[in-house]
DNA sequence: TTACCAAAAGACCTTTTTGTCTTTTAATAA
DNA sequence: TTATTAAAAGACAAAAAGGTCTTTTGGTAA
C-alpha cells in the first residue's frame, strides 16, 4: 500500500495528535518508540513534515511536535502527496504512461473503481479522524508479537 | 499499485499470450519493444518467470516465449506472488506487523474491504483473460504520447 | 557437423529507499 | 546569561529496486 516513510509518518502523526488531545507534545524519541519505528529515520520524517507545513514543532525544553489547532484537519491524501508524490493513486494499473478511459488498458475496467475507492478513503479520512478512532475505541497503533 | 518488475511482467505476458494466439512465439527484443520496457531488464524478468514455471521458452532459431497450453490460466495473484512476494496485498494499511481484525488499526475498517476487492480482482483475472480483452476489443498495452 | 540463433546465467552498475549519526540552532528554565 | 533540552540540518551508509551487458548454453536448420 504505502512505502515505509508514509507508514511511519501516518503512525507518528496519529500518535502525536493523540498526545496533543491529552495536552502533551511528544518528541522524536517518544514517537519512534511508541510507533515502533527507527528513531533517527522517524526524526527525519517528522522534520520533513514540519518543513512542508503539515506539522508544527518547538525546540528546547518542553518542546516537541504538535498540530496547529487553527489549521484544517490533515487529509491522508495531503500526507501521501507530501511523502510519495501526487502520482501514487492516479496512474494506470499496468503502468501505462497515463490512465485514459477512452483508451483503456485491459485492467482498467476493474481497477479504476478500486483506485477511486482508495482515493475516497484518502480524502475522507484525516490524521485527526484516525486519532479519534484510536481515542474512542480499543484500536491500536502497534501490535507487537504476543 | 505494482512495482516495475510486475508491470513489465504483466504487460509482457499479455503480449506473449496475444502472439501465441496468432501462432507466434515472440523473443525478448520483440516483447520489450512492443511493451515499451527496457530490453535487458525485460529479458531478465522473462527468464525468472520461466525459471519459476509460469512461462515456457525455447532457445535457438524460431525460439521464443510461450504458454504451455496444458497448464491452467495464470491468475494475476500467482504472478504478483512470484514477482513481489506473498505479502503484497495481505498486510496492514499502516504497516503493523500483521493485520488482525480482532485488534484492528484505525484504517482497517475502511481499508480491509478495498484490499479484499483487489485480491478478488487478482484472483478473477488471468493473463489469458486480459489477453482476450485486448484481442476482442480496441484495448491496448501501450499508449505512447500523441 | 557446422553455422547460427536466441534464451540462460550471472557479473556489474545506477538510482531510490531506508536508515544512521554528528553538528548546529533555537527555545526554555534556573 | 548560562546550562540544558530538543528539533534542524545535513553528511554518510546500507539495502533494495531498477537496469545493463557479456559470456555461456542449448536448440535449429542448412
Ligand atoms: S488505462 Fe490502465 S488503469 Fe486506466
Ligand atoms: S490492522 Fe491495519 S489494515 Fe487491518
Amino acid at each position: 500500500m504505502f512505502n515505509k516513510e508514509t507508514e511511519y509518518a501516518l503512525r507518528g502523526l496519529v500518535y502525536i495528535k493523540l498526545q496533543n488531545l491529552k495536552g502533551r507534545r511528544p518528541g522524536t524519541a517518544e514517537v519512534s518508540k511508541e510507533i515502533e519505528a527507527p528513531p533517527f529515520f522517524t526524526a527525519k520524517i517528522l522534520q520533513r513534515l514540519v518543513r512542508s507545513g503539515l506539522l508544527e514543532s518547538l525546540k528546547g525544553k518542553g518542546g516537541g511536535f504538535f498540530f496547529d489547532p487553527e489549521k484544517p484537519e490533515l487529509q491522508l491524501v495531503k500526507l501521501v502527496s507530501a511523502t510519495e508524490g501526487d502520482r501514487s493513486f492516479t496512474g494506470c494499473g499496468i503502468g501505462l504512461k497515463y490512465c485514459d478511459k477512452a483508451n483503456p488498458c485491459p485492467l482498467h475496467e476493474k481497477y479504476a473503481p478500486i483506485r477511486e475507492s482508495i482515493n475516497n478513503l484518502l480524502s475522507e479520512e484525516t490524521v485527526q479522524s484516525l486519532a479519534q478512532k484510536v481515542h474512542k475505541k480499543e484500536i491500536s497503533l502497534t501490535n507487537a508479537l504476543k
Side-chain angles (χ1 to χ4, degrees), chain A:
Chain A
M1 181 73 167
F2 302 118
N3 62 26
K4 290 295 176 192
E5 179 174 356
T6 304
E7 285 181 1
Y8 299 154
L10 241 176
R11 302 216 297 272
L13 290 178
V14 171
Y15 177 79
I16 290 167
K17 178 63 195 174
L18 211 49
Q19 294 305 311
N20 289 173
L21 290 174
K22 301 176 185 171
R24 303 186 59 253
R25 285 195 296 249
T28 58
E30 176 181 343
V31 172
S32 71
K33 191 181 170 195
E34 293 298 323
I35 68 172
E36 294 177 8
F40 290 112
F41 195 24
T42 303
K44 174 183 279 189
I45 290 168
L46 293 180
Q47 278 171 36
R48 288 176 184 161
L49 293 172
V50 170
R51 229 181 309 180
S52 58
L54 303 182
L55 181 67
E56 318 297 317
S57 69
L58 264 177
K59 289 182 181 181
K61 221 164 226 172
F65 296 92
F66 61 100
F67 286 89
D68 183 346
E70 304 292 300
K71 289 186 178 170
E73 298 195 5
L74 177 54
Q75 291 179 316
L76 299 195
V77 67
K78 291 273 173 71
L79 173 61
V80 174
S81 291
T83 53
E84 309 192 357
D86 279 322
R87 241 194 124 172
S88 305
F89 298 107
T90 58
C92 166
I94 66 169
L96 301 191
K97 291 197 190 69
Y98 44 83
C99 170
D100 177 5
K101 68 182 169 193
N103 192 30
C105 76
L107 213 62
H108 182 96
E109 186 181 343
K110 290 194 175 181
Y111 174 60
I114 293 175
R115 197 183 50 193
E116 191 172 342
S117 68
I118 293 176
N119 282 308
N120 286 340
L121 165 62
L122 296 181
S123 296
E124 291 165 7
E125 296 292 332
T126 66
V127 168
Q128 286 78 2
S129 72
L130 296 184
Q132 279 300 328
K133 293 183 194 193
V134 178
H135 189 63
K136 291 186 202 162
K137 307 180 192 178
E138 68 291 356
I139 270 181
S140 67
L141 282 178
T142 58
N143 61 9
L145 273 307
K146 287 292 151 339

